[in-house]
Amino acid sequence: MSATYYFAIVGSADSPLYEAEFGVQRNENKHLHQFVVHAALDLVEDALFTTNACYLKIVDTYNDWNVSAYVTPSNVRLMLLHEVKAEEAIRAFFIDCHELFVKTLTNPFYDPSMPIQSQAFDAKVHSLAKKYLL
Amino acid sequence: MAKQYKAIGDEAWKNSVEKVNAELFIFTYGSLVVQLLRDHEDCTSVNQQLDKLGYNIGVRLADDMFARTTLDRCPDVRSTADAVAKVGFRMFLNTTPTVGLWTNDNEFSLLIEDNPLNDFCELPPRALRDGLWYSNVLCGVVRGALEMMHMQARVWFVRDVLRGDDTSEIRVRVERMLDEEVPAADE
């Protein structure tokens, strides 16, 4: 069974900074993915109270899907919608994405409230997904 | 002669200059360029502002460099170029550009492979389109320093890694020797 993933970076003002889909896409509405992730944001906040860690593992489930979250110290949430449970792979994926995000932050031309439009960032995220998830 | 400049530059970097955290410097310069872009909107005038900034820095750096090293007067443009590259850039930026592409004995290029100002930076499409030279301050610095040494020069960027080229290149043309006079006040 081929896996699909939906990855989103949600900024501290709750607006999406970046979205990407990996794997084979079935005929599922992208809006549904966004909705599920958005609904999970509240649960992420709750989970933050319980732990000091960045990686929050699975915070929510919806039918077949699981939502995993990783929250950076600056309250930027990396959310992954997935069916297959692969905790360690997802953790590694999140950590590398966090590093990529920090590199984007150090670019003086990047405004932290704006969506990330760099092609280089997109390409690297896809290659990380290929490495860890697919 | 060339080896001498390299040695002077290395020695100056090790012993004679105070150092600051590179990231602080790079981020400061980055915010400066971004702020200029926001204020001016037009990349040509941002390039000019950066050049003026650099000019003011350069006129002070020339004497600073001679104060901290054992350099003598340079006999010709070729050794001036070597001094700028191997001593000046090495002391103040810790990078040594290659001097090359000479024409006519008074025009040359500085090929900078690893410009520290470029770390972390990625130009947005608008800046790429409109012709922003991110490190244009370096052109001003060279121009100001040469003017303090009584050489009027035109200095400009030809290629830049941030624009997709394989290396950064600054072209310097020494136009004439100036007589002893007070440099022009604010341009």
Side-chain angles (χ1 to χ4, degrees):
Chain A
M1 168 169 132
S2 46
T4 61
Y5 299 88
Y6 170 76
F7 174 61
I9 301 185
V10 182
S12 42
D14 287 348
S15 56
L17 299 178
Y18 176 78
E19 296 172 296
E21 296 183 326
F22 315 124
V24 175
Q25 297 310 319
R26 281 163 278 162
N27 274 338
E28 270 145 9
N29 221 338
K30 188 170 166 186
H31 299 304
L32 189 56
H33 294 306
Q34 279 183 341
F35 182 75
V36 173
V37 166
H38 198 264
L41 285 178
D42 285 336
L43 288 160
V44 169
E45 241 181 84
D46 288 340
L48 274 179
F49 276 112
T50 65
T51 173
N52 278 340
C54 284
Y55 180 45
L56 296 176
K57 305 189 192 165
I58 295 179
V59 292
D60 193 20
T61 52
Y62 176 80
N63 293 351
D64 286 332
W65 290 331
N66 310 297
V67 182
S68 289
Y70 178 101
V71 184
T72 74
S74 53
N75 207 26
V76 171
R77 284 139 292 187
L78 308 178
M79 314 282 287
L80 184 68
L81 198 61
H82 58 101
E83 286 157 337
V84 178
K85 295 191 189 180
E87 221 177 84
E88 283 313 307
I90 294 178
R91 177 202 300 267
F93 173 71
F94 274 144
I95 290 178
D96 280 358
C97 280
H98 185 193
E99 268 180 45
L100 258 185
F101 179 69
V102 169
K103 285 209 191 90
T104 309
L105 278 179
T106 57
N107 179 7
F109 290 101
Y110 173 64
D111 178 357
S113 55
M114 299 302 297
I116 301 175
Q117 280 155 345
S118 148
Q119 308 276 31
F121 182 82
D122 192 40
K124 285 202 195 100
V125 170
H126 276 91
S127 75
L128 282 178
K130 224 180 281 179
K131 182 172 162 198
Y132 289 114
L133 301 175
L134 294 173
Chain B
M1 199 48 165
K3 239 169 60 173
Q4 203 184 335
Y5 283 126
K6 182 169 177 318
I8 293 176
D10 289 341
E11 199 268 336
W13 168 256
K14 279 197 202 91
N15 301 330
S16 313
V17 290
E18 298 210 354
K19 315 243 185 352
V20 73
N21 183 313
E23 288 186 359
L24 176 65
F25 179 63
I26 295 168
F27 288 149
T28 306
Y29 183 70
S31 336
L32 177 74
V33 176
V34 170
Q35 194 59 46
L36 277 175
L37 260 179
R38 282 202 201 119
D39 289 342
H40 288 262
E41 294 286 344
D42 167 36
C43 287
T44 320
S45 51
V46 172
N47 285 341
Q48 278 170 351
Q49 288 298 323
L50 286 174
D51 188 78
K52 275 194 217 172
L53 272 165
Y55 177 82
N56 286 322
I57 297 174
V59 301
R60 289 157 234 282
L61 278 189
D63 281 317
D64 194 46
M65 184 173 96
F66 280 100
R68 291 177 197 271
T69 62
T70 53
L71 278 174
D72 298 319
R73 233 180 258 286
C74 295
D76 55 21
V77 179
R78 288 201 177 240
S79 29
T80 309
D82 276 341
V84 166
K86 297 193 173 77
V87 184
F89 269 83
R90 175 87 168 99
M91 266 174 83
F92 296 112
L93 268 188
N94 195 23
T95 177
T96 310
T98 327
V99 180
L101 301 175
W102 284 92
T103 47
N104 296 344
D105 257 4
N106 64 348
E107 190 171 330
F108 60 93
S109 280
L110 292 165
L111 298 149
I112 313 174
E113 269 167 24
D114 56 344
N115 182 359
L117 295 176
N118 289 344
D119 285 350
F120 311 130
C121 181
E122 199 180 307
L123 285 185
R126 189 174 71 102
L128 273 171
R129 253 200 335 260
D130 296 344
L132 176 74
W133 295 114
Y134 184 76
S135 305
N136 212 37
V137 73
L138 297 178
C139 292
V141 171
V142 176
R143 184 166 68 88
L146 288 178
E147 194 161 307
M148 277 296 103
M149 298 298 115
H150 306 294
M151 280 177 265
Q152 184 177 352
R154 203 161 91 73
V155 188
W156 69 102
F157 250 102
V158 180
R159 290 186 282 171
D160 193 3
V161 189
L162 291 176
R163 300 267 218 112
D165 302 314
D166 48 346
T167 187
S168 298
E169 183 184 339
I170 297 181
R171 193 103 186 118
V172 182
R173 184 195 303 151
V174 178
E175 284 176 344
R176 61 193 182 100
M177 305 301 285
L178 297 166
D179 299 324
E180 291 277 344
E181 58 183 81
V182 178
D186 271 26
E187 303 172 17

